[in-house]
Amino acid sequence: MFMNFLHSTYCNAAIFAGIIFVFMGYFIRRYPPKSIKSWYGYRSALASRSPEMWQAANQHAAYISRRIGIILIPTGLACALFFDSQTDWFWYITVGAVVTGAMYMVGYTEWQLQQIEPESPEDNDNL
């Protein structure tokens, strides 16, 4: 029975990753990491510059993570209904959606952090 599920189209990356993205976004929103040294949270060089940047990064990443998960789950279900078996295109679409979602989350969060990053004193010397 378990092997039948593993080989069915309902066992796909988009559904599983979508559930993880929704859970991760909810968890980080509900229990935000207190400091940069926490064992979980959105980590990047830009997010680690200050506690304010850390909080903003985790807030944005949690928001986008939930939204991506809400998109991935129906995508995985649609692929499960559309495809009869786990073909190459099935894997390209389901895994590609997960990779695209993760890249979007990182890109959007980093872009948001760049928008709130304070100007450096060297930038004001050139005026």
Side-chain angles (χ1 to χ4, degrees):
M1 183 164 145
F2 181 69
M3 293 303 287
N4 288 339
F5 174 72
L6 283 179
H7 294 290
S8 77
T9 56
Y10 288 97
C11 180
N12 67 55
I15 293 173
F16 292 136
I19 292 168
I20 290 171
F21 271 66
V22 168
F23 175 75
M24 179 180 65
Y26 172 76
F27 185 79
I28 291 176
R29 180 178 168 262
R30 180 81 172 107
Y31 306 103
K34 302 290 186 226
S35 72
I36 297 171
K37 295 183 182 195
S38 296
W39 62 273
Y40 68 96
Y42 179 83
R43 297 187 189 281
S44 72
L46 195 55
S48 301
R49 287 192 179 171
S50 69
E52 295 80 23
M53 296 287 275
W54 174 256
Q55 293 299 326
N58 282 286
Q59 182 181 17
H60 289 296
Y63 174 78
I64 291 300
S65 177
R66 289 190 319 268
R67 298 303 181 262
I68 290 170
I70 290 171
I71 293 170
L72 284 177
I73 293 171
T75 301
L77 290 174
C79 286
L81 294 172
F82 182 75
F83 287 95
D84 294 329
S85 63
Q86 294 179 352
T87 63
D88 287 344
W89 279 104
F90 171 82
W91 287 110
Y92 296 152
I93 293 169
T94 57
V95 173
V98 173
V99 171
T100 303
M103 289 172 52
Y104 177 75
M105 182 181 72
V106 171
Y108 178 81
T109 304
E110 291 297 313
W111 179 75
Q112 287 290 340
L113 291 177
Q114 289 175 355
Q115 302 303 313
I116 63 172
E117 184 176 28
E119 293 184 16
S120 64
E122 296 89 31
D123 294 340
N124 294 333
D125 291 341
N126 296 330
L127 296 176

Short mmCIF file of all heavy atoms in Angstrom, two decimals, residues 3 7 18 23 25 34 58 70-71 89 100 106:
data_model
loop_
_atom_site.label_atom_id
_atom_site.label_comp_id
_atom_site.label_asym_id
_atom_site.label_seq_id
_atom_site.Cartn_x
_atom_site.Cartn_y
_atom_site.Cartn_z
N MET A 3 3.95 1.45 -1.04
CA MET A 3 4.65 1.53 -2.33
C MET A 3 3.72 2.06 -3.42
O MET A 3 4.17 2.77 -4.31
CB MET A 3 5.20 0.15 -2.71
CG MET A 3 6.31 -0.33 -1.79
SD MET A 3 7.70 0.83 -1.72
CE MET A 3 8.42 0.58 -3.29
N HIS A 7 4.44 5.54 -5.73
CA HIS A 7 4.47 5.56 -7.18
C HIS A 7 3.25 6.27 -7.79
O HIS A 7 3.16 6.38 -9.00
CB HIS A 7 4.58 4.13 -7.72
CG HIS A 7 5.88 3.50 -7.38
ND1 HIS A 7 7.07 3.89 -7.94
CD2 HIS A 7 6.20 2.51 -6.51
CE1 HIS A 7 8.06 3.17 -7.44
NE2 HIS A 7 7.55 2.33 -6.56
N GLY A 18 4.90 22.26 -0.41
CA GLY A 18 3.87 23.24 -0.09
C GLY A 18 3.43 23.15 1.37
O GLY A 18 3.27 24.17 2.04
N PHE A 23 3.73 25.39 6.81
CA PHE A 23 4.07 25.16 8.22
C PHE A 23 5.22 26.07 8.66
O PHE A 23 5.15 26.68 9.72
CB PHE A 23 4.44 23.69 8.45
CG PHE A 23 4.92 23.42 9.84
CD1 PHE A 23 4.03 23.38 10.89
CD2 PHE A 23 6.27 23.24 10.10
CE1 PHE A 23 4.47 23.15 12.19
CE2 PHE A 23 6.72 23.01 11.38
CZ PHE A 23 5.82 22.96 12.43
N GLY A 25 6.19 28.95 7.36
CA GLY A 25 5.75 30.34 7.42
C GLY A 25 4.89 30.61 8.64
O GLY A 25 5.03 31.64 9.30
N LYS A 34 14.09 34.89 18.25
CA LYS A 34 14.40 36.05 19.11
C LYS A 34 15.71 36.73 18.74
O LYS A 34 15.84 37.93 18.86
CB LYS A 34 14.46 35.60 20.58
CG LYS A 34 13.18 34.96 21.06
CD LYS A 34 12.07 35.97 21.17
CE LYS A 34 10.86 35.34 21.79
NZ LYS A 34 9.63 35.62 21.13
N ASN A 58 12.82 37.83 8.71
CA ASN A 58 11.98 36.71 9.11
C ASN A 58 10.50 37.00 8.92
O ASN A 58 9.72 36.12 8.56
CB ASN A 58 12.27 36.30 10.55
CG ASN A 58 13.54 35.50 10.63
OD1 ASN A 58 13.57 34.35 10.25
ND2 ASN A 58 14.62 36.12 11.10
N ILE A 70 0.71 28.00 -0.28
CA ILE A 70 -0.69 28.00 -0.72
C ILE A 70 -0.78 27.84 -2.24
O ILE A 70 -1.76 27.32 -2.76
CB ILE A 70 -1.39 29.29 -0.24
CG1 ILE A 70 -1.56 29.21 1.29
CG2 ILE A 70 -2.73 29.50 -0.92
CD1 ILE A 70 -2.03 30.50 1.92
N ILE A 71 0.23 28.25 -2.97
CA ILE A 71 0.26 28.06 -4.43
C ILE A 71 0.77 26.66 -4.78
O ILE A 71 0.26 26.03 -5.72
CB ILE A 71 1.13 29.15 -5.09
CG1 ILE A 71 0.46 30.51 -4.94
CG2 ILE A 71 1.40 28.84 -6.56
CD1 ILE A 71 1.33 31.68 -5.33
N TRP A 89 8.14 14.90 -17.33
CA TRP A 89 7.50 16.20 -17.29
C TRP A 89 6.78 16.44 -15.98
O TRP A 89 6.73 17.57 -15.48
CB TRP A 89 6.54 16.37 -18.47
CG TRP A 89 7.28 16.75 -19.70
CD1 TRP A 89 7.59 15.95 -20.75
CD2 TRP A 89 7.87 18.02 -19.97
NE1 TRP A 89 8.32 16.64 -21.67
CE2 TRP A 89 8.50 17.92 -21.22
CE3 TRP A 89 7.92 19.22 -19.28
CZ2 TRP A 89 9.18 18.99 -21.79
CZ3 TRP A 89 8.59 20.28 -19.85
CH2 TRP A 89 9.22 20.17 -21.09
N THR A 100 11.39 27.21 -8.05
CA THR A 100 10.99 28.58 -8.38
C THR A 100 10.44 29.30 -7.16
O THR A 100 10.77 30.47 -6.91
CB THR A 100 9.95 28.58 -9.51
OG1 THR A 100 10.51 27.89 -10.64
CG2 THR A 100 9.54 29.97 -9.90
N VAL A 106 13.57 33.84 -1.51
CA VAL A 106 14.88 34.43 -1.20
C VAL A 106 15.03 35.78 -1.91
O VAL A 106 15.43 36.77 -1.30
CB VAL A 106 16.03 33.48 -1.59
CG1 VAL A 106 17.37 34.16 -1.49
CG2 VAL A 106 15.99 32.24 -0.71
#
